[in-house]
Short mmCIF file of all heavy atoms in Angstrom, two decimals:
data_model
loop_
_atom_site.label_atom_id
_atom_site.label_comp_id
_atom_site.label_asym_id
_atom_site.label_seq_id
_atom_site.Cartn_x
_atom_site.Cartn_y
_atom_site.Cartn_z
N ARG A 142 11.86 22.74 -4.95
CA ARG A 142 10.46 23.18 -4.90
C ARG A 142 9.98 23.19 -3.44
O ARG A 142 8.92 22.65 -3.12
CB ARG A 142 9.57 22.22 -5.71
CG ARG A 142 9.81 22.18 -7.19
CD ARG A 142 9.08 23.30 -7.92
NE ARG A 142 9.02 23.00 -9.34
CZ ARG A 142 7.92 22.59 -9.97
NH1 ARG A 142 6.79 22.44 -9.30
NH2 ARG A 142 7.97 22.34 -11.25
N ASP A 203 3.30 14.55 -8.39
CA ASP A 203 4.01 15.81 -8.56
C ASP A 203 3.92 16.57 -7.24
O ASP A 203 2.91 16.45 -6.52
CB ASP A 203 3.35 16.66 -9.65
CG ASP A 203 3.70 16.17 -11.04
OD1 ASP A 203 4.38 15.14 -11.15
OD2 ASP A 203 3.27 16.83 -12.02
N ASP A 205 3.48 19.66 -6.83
CA ASP A 205 2.64 20.86 -6.90
C ASP A 205 1.16 20.57 -7.07
O ASP A 205 0.38 21.46 -7.38
CB ASP A 205 3.15 21.77 -8.04
CG ASP A 205 3.31 21.02 -9.36
OD1 ASP A 205 2.69 19.95 -9.53
OD2 ASP A 205 4.06 21.51 -10.23
N MET A 295 -3.18 22.62 -9.35
CA MET A 295 -1.73 22.67 -9.42
C MET A 295 -1.27 24.07 -9.07
O MET A 295 -1.83 25.05 -9.57
CB MET A 295 -1.22 22.29 -10.82
CG MET A 295 0.29 22.08 -10.85
SD MET A 295 0.93 21.75 -12.49
CE MET A 295 1.18 23.41 -13.08
N HIS A 298 3.28 27.75 -11.68
CA HIS A 298 4.74 27.89 -11.66
C HIS A 298 5.28 28.03 -13.08
O HIS A 298 4.59 27.67 -14.06
CB HIS A 298 5.39 26.68 -10.99
CG HIS A 298 5.13 25.39 -11.73
ND1 HIS A 298 5.86 25.00 -12.82
CD2 HIS A 298 4.20 24.42 -11.54
CE1 HIS A 298 5.40 23.83 -13.27
NE2 HIS A 298 4.38 23.47 -12.51
MN1 MN B 402 3.69 21.26 -12.33
#
Side-chain angles (χ1 to χ4, degrees):
R142 295 277 196 105
D203 283 4
D205 51 20
M295 191 184 87
H298 63 82

